[in-house]
Structures are given as structure tokens and as C-alpha cells.
């Protein structure tokens, strides 16, 4: 994939796939015009890195003010490459899954709202790094959940879910309170008679036989008038089966919804894209632009200081631990590959990597507390972890490039 270079491309183009591979960058004309107009208003911003950082913060600030504005589309365009590499890495690693690269890409990019809501630029990590972590976690969790759902029969799913999940699923589908009470009682009676003797049997639970359906219907009809308020619907084995299949359908739709991306067609006629509906509110004031530019410069100064702090802490680590970090971050080896190369156990690699990162995080936390007067709350430490991960990737990759030269 050819990386984008120009600022206007970074914030107005999207990946187009063909045969599940990268095909080309396509330009969204609305975002392109928006970027051209904004560039004219703001003017020159110095070097390329400063310009990119400025526009990330520029659109992020506008998104915070109005999440429904074109800033949403600009940030989606900007994070296309980060999403692409995460999806590619997960696709390669999880070779046994049934989802294609394009599925993984759409699942990941659909978590953009989570990225933007959780991102905190004041902590120092770049939006790309933070987004990559969220994309990766969201994608893996979603694939795991989908695998879980795909491996269960409707009856196994009904047997596993909680009453709270059932009710929320039906409410999300728009069912009335009366209908929900009816379905809930049917589900409760089903669970009474369909409890496998062993837990593993739940996953592939078979449909009840005819006699069991009769028993479920009898229990339902005995219990319906005892509900508050009483349930009027009379149950037969046939309509109970239909109701429960409908429950399973709504549960799957609720727990494992279809993925929709920002840059997809709004209809089958391809008459437009969702991005076209986002309002064009790019009216940041000159004062706001100045504040953002000053913030970019402050962030770059802080990143230099963080680099110095972590470089010193890295040099204090045992040489063998430093080698382990280089193999993991520079050579991109998995823990299993490192274990094989160093002839040690995989859990030893995992433990040493964790200990090394804890030592570096402690150094960063101590500096942040003493220099920036940051309270070491859980969110603050979590954000420092993101900063550390970004630094390790950049620092060790840079060192590796210097050695190659």
C-alpha cells in the first residue's frame, strides 16, 4: 500500500479494496473541498510533522465541539492506514477464522466513535497509536464474540444468555412490554426443561423434542396467569417454538450487530454516502488555530522530554532484556518465535517483557508526577501505557534502522 504524503490526502481519502486486497486511495470530494478551504484559512504551518499534528488536533477539537460535523469524516480518513495495518496483522495471525481482511477492516474502523471518545491528547500519545490499540482490542473482542455466537445453536444461545440480555435485545428490537413479558416467560419455561447435564453440551444444544415442547407449553399456560400483570396469550408447542426462534434472532442482532462504516453507500442505488449527511462546520477561529498550534509545539517538546526519560530507563535494563525488547518491537517477532530463538519458554518471554515495560512505565510515571504534577490515577497510568507503547515502537524501530545503515 502506497502511504499518503500530502496533508489534504491524509484527511480526505479512503482505502478501496478489491479482491480483499488494497486497490487504491479514493478521494471524498466533500472532505477534499473542506480541507482545501481550511488550508487556505490557516496558511502554512512549518514542517510536515507539525502540520500533521496540527490538523489532527484541529479536527479533533472540532469533533469535540460537534461530533456530527465533517470533522468525523476527516478523522476517519486520517485513521485509514492505522486501521489497515491492524486488520492485516489480525488477519495474518488468526488464520483459522472465517472472516476476510475486508471484514476485519470494517469491524475495526466502525469503532472510530470509541477511539474519539476515549482519546486524550493531553497525555502525549498520538491519535494513530491510541486508535491502533483500540482497533486491535475491538477487532479481537468482536471476532471472539462472533466465533462464540457462530458456534452455538439457537437453543444453545438461548440457554446461555441472561434474562437481562434477553430483555435488552427485545427492547432494542422495538417489542412492546406486553410482548416482552410473553417472550420472557416462554424463555424461562424453555430453560426449565432444557438444561444439559454437562456444561459443554450447552453450546450445541439441540431443539427440544415434541414431548418436551408439550411440557414447556403446559408449564407456560400454568404460569401465565400468575405473572404481574397476567399474560393472556395461550401457548402451543408450535407458537412457543416460533417465539423462541424470534428471541434467538433478536439476541444475535443485538449482541453481534452488523458493522457499518462511515464511508459506505447509504442505499443500494449508491446515491450517496453517509459522509454526505455530516454538516460542514469548519469555523475554528484564528485564536483557536493559534492555541492548537501552540499545543502542538508543547506536545513536541514534551515528547522530546519523554524520549530522554525513557531512553535513560531503557539503558538501565539488563542487556538480555533490552535484546528481548528489540526482538519484539524491532524485528516484530512473536513471543513464540522469540522463545524458540532464545531457547526459553514462551511464558518466560511474556514475563520478562511485562517486567521490562513495568520498569519503563514506572520511570515515566515518576517523571510525570514530579515534572508535570500528574496524579497517578488509573486513567492516567493507562494513558501513560499508551505513550510507552508508542515510544517503544518508534524508538526501537529507529534504532534498528540506524544499525542497518
Amino acid at each position: 500500500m502506497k502511504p499518503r504524503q500530502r496533508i489534504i490526502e491524509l484527511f480526505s481519502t479512503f482505502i478501496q479494496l478489491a479482491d480483499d486486497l488494497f486497490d487504491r486511495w479514493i478521494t471524498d470530494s466533500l472532505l477534499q473541498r473542506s480541507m482545501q478551504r481550511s488550508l487556505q484559512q490557516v496558511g502554512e504551518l512549518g514542517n510536515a510533522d507539525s502540520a500533521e499534528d496540527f490538523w489532527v488536533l484541529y479536527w479533533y477539537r472540532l469533533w469535540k465541539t460537534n461530533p456530527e460535523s465533517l470533522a468525523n469524516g476527516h478523522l476517519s480518513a486520517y485513521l485509514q492506514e492505522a486501521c489497515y495495518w491492524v486488520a492485516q496483522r489480525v488477519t495474518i495471525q488468526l488464520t483459522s477464522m472465517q472472516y476476510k481482511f475486508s471484514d476485519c477492516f470494517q469491524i475495526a474502523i466502525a469503532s472510530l466513535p470509541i477511539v474519539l471518545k476515549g482519546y486524550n491528547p493531553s497525555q502525549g500519545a498520538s491519535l494513530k497509536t491510541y486508535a491502533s490499540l483500540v482497533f486491535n482490542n475491538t477487532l479481537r473482542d468482536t471476532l471472539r464474540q462472533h466465533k462464540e455466537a457462530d458456534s452455538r445453536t439457537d437453543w444453545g444461545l438461548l440457554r446461555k444468555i441472561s434474562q437481562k440480555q434477553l430483555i435488552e435485545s427485545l427492547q432494542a428490537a422495538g417489542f412492546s412490554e406486553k410482548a416482552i413479558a410473553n417472550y420472557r416467560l416462554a424463555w424461562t419455561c424453555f430453560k426449565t426443561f432444557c438444561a444439559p447435564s454437562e456444561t459443554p453440551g450447552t453450546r450445541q444444544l439441540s431443539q427440544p423434542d415434541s414431548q418436551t415442547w408439550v411440557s414447556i407449553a403446559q408449564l407456560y399456560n400454568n404460569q401465565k396467569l400468575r405473572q404481574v400483570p397476567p399474560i393472556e396469550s395461550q401457548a402451543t408447542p408450535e407458537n412457543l417454538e416460533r417465539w423462541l426462534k424470534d428471541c434467538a434472532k433478536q439476541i444475535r442482532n443485538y449482541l453481534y450487530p452488523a458493522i457499518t462504516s462511515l464511508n459506505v453507500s447509504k442505499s443500494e442505488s449508491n446515491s450517496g454516502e453517509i459522509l454526505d449527511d455530516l454538516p460542514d462546520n469548519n469555523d475554528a477561529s484564528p485564536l483557536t488555530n493559534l492555541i492548537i498550534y501552540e499545543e502542538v509545539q508543547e506536545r513536541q517538546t514534551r515528547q522530546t522530554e519523554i524520549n530522554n526519560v525513557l531512553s535513560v530507563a531503557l539503558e538501565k535494563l539488563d542487556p538480555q532484556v533490552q535484546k528481548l525488547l528489540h526482538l519484539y518491537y524491532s524485528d516484530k517477532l512473536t513471543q513464540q518465535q522469540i522463545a524458540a530463538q532464545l531457547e526459553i519458554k514462551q511464558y518466560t518471554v511474556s514475563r520478562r517483557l511485562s517486567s521490562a515495560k513495568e520498569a519503563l512505565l514506572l520511570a515515566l510515571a515518576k517523571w510525570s508526577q514530579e515534572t508535570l504534577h500528574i496524579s497517578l490515577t488509573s486513567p492516567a497510568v493507562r494513558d501513560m501505557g499508551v505513550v510507552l507503547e508508542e515510544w517503544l515502537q518508534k524508538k526501537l524501530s529507529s534504532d534498528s534502522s540506524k544499525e542497518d545503515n
Side-chain angles (χ1 to χ4, degrees), residues 55-251:
W55 287 109
V56 169
L57 282 174
Y58 179 91
W59 294 120
Y60 177 75
R61 297 300 184 202
L62 286 178
W63 176 86
K64 290 282 286 187
T65 303
N66 184 3
E68 301 302 321
S69 69
L70 276 181
N72 203 17
H74 285 297
L75 293 172
S76 177
Y78 176 69
L79 293 173
Q80 292 284 294
E81 284 161 320
C83 185
Y84 176 90
W85 295 118
V86 167
Q88 186 183 73
R89 186 163 58 249
V90 171
T91 304
I92 292 172
Q93 293 173 351
L94 304 180
T95 54
S96 61
M97 68 181 184
Q98 61 179 330
Y99 295 94
K100 300 186 296 183
F101 166 76
S102 55
D103 298 323
C104 292
F105 182 85
Q106 290 287 43
I107 290 170
I109 200 65
S111 64
L112 178 66
I114 301 174
V115 172
L116 298 181
K117 287 177 182 177
Y119 180 56
N120 183 359
S122 66
Q123 295 299 332
S126 70
L127 178 60
K128 278 185 177 179
T129 298
Y130 182 78
S132 295
L133 293 174
V134 174
F135 288 153
N136 182 70
N137 293 338
T138 300
L139 179 54
R140 290 179 182 275
D141 287 346
T142 302
L143 293 177
R144 177 181 52 78
Q145 292 170 4
H146 282 201
K147 182 179 180 181
E148 168 75 9
D150 293 342
S151 67
R152 289 185 180 273
T153 63
D154 283 350
W155 315 107
L157 183 62
L158 288 167
R159 188 67 188 83
K160 176 181 181 292
I161 57 105
S162 66
Q163 178 172 287
K164 181 175 181 290
Q165 290 173 319
L166 172 70
I167 293 174
E168 288 177 347
S169 301
L170 297 174
Q171 288 174 336
F175 283 78
S176 66
E177 290 300 318
K178 185 176 180 180
I180 291 175
N182 180 37
Y183 279 31
R184 182 194 58 78
L185 179 58
W187 171 78
T188 302
C189 295
F190 160 79
K191 290 190 69 173
T192 301
F193 287 95
C194 296
S197 57
E198 297 181 4
T199 301
T202 303
R203 190 179 300 276
Q204 296 299 322
L205 189 63
S206 301
Q207 177 174 327
D209 57 30
S210 57
Q211 184 54 51
T212 303
W213 278 123
V214 171
S215 299
I216 295 173
Q218 289 175 346
L219 178 61
Y220 176 96
N221 290 326
N222 288 335
Q223 294 290 326
K224 65 187 182 70
L225 295 179
R226 300 179 185 177
Q227 306 301 305
V228 181
I231 294 175
E232 300 175 359
S233 303
Q234 187 75 10
T236 65
E238 292 74 23
N239 58 25
L240 272 172
E241 180 181 350
R242 186 175 66 254
W243 294 342
L244 288 169
K245 284 184 175 179
D246 197 12
C247 284
K249 177 183 177 181
Q250 303 309 328
I251 291 166

Side-chain angles (χ1 to χ4, degrees), residues 24 33 43 65 111 114 137 143 181 183 198 201 211 241-242 259 263 286 291 327 342 344 351 362 368-369 391:
R24 62 192 178 96
R33 291 194 300 272
T65 303
S111 64
I114 301 174
N137 293 338
L143 293 177
Y183 279 31
E198 297 181 4
Q211 184 54 51
E241 180 181 350
R242 186 175 66 254
I259 301 301
N263 52 316
I291 293 172
L327 290 173
L342 300 181
I344 56 178
R351 186 173 64 247
L362 181 61
S368 299
Q369 191 175 34
W391 181 83

Side-chain angles (χ1 to χ4, degrees), residues 30-38 59 70 74 280 282:
L30 186 62
L31 294 180
Q32 185 183 52
R33 291 194 300 272
S34 170
M35 275 303 302
Q36 289 171 339
R37 183 168 60 254
S38 298
W59 294 120
L70 276 181
H74 285 297
D280 185 1
N282 307 332

Side-chain angles (χ1 to χ4, degrees), residues 250-262:
Q250 303 309 328
I251 291 166
R252 291 186 191 277
N253 290 341
Y254 177 69
L255 296 181
Y256 319 107
I259 301 301
T260 301
S261 176
L262 276 174

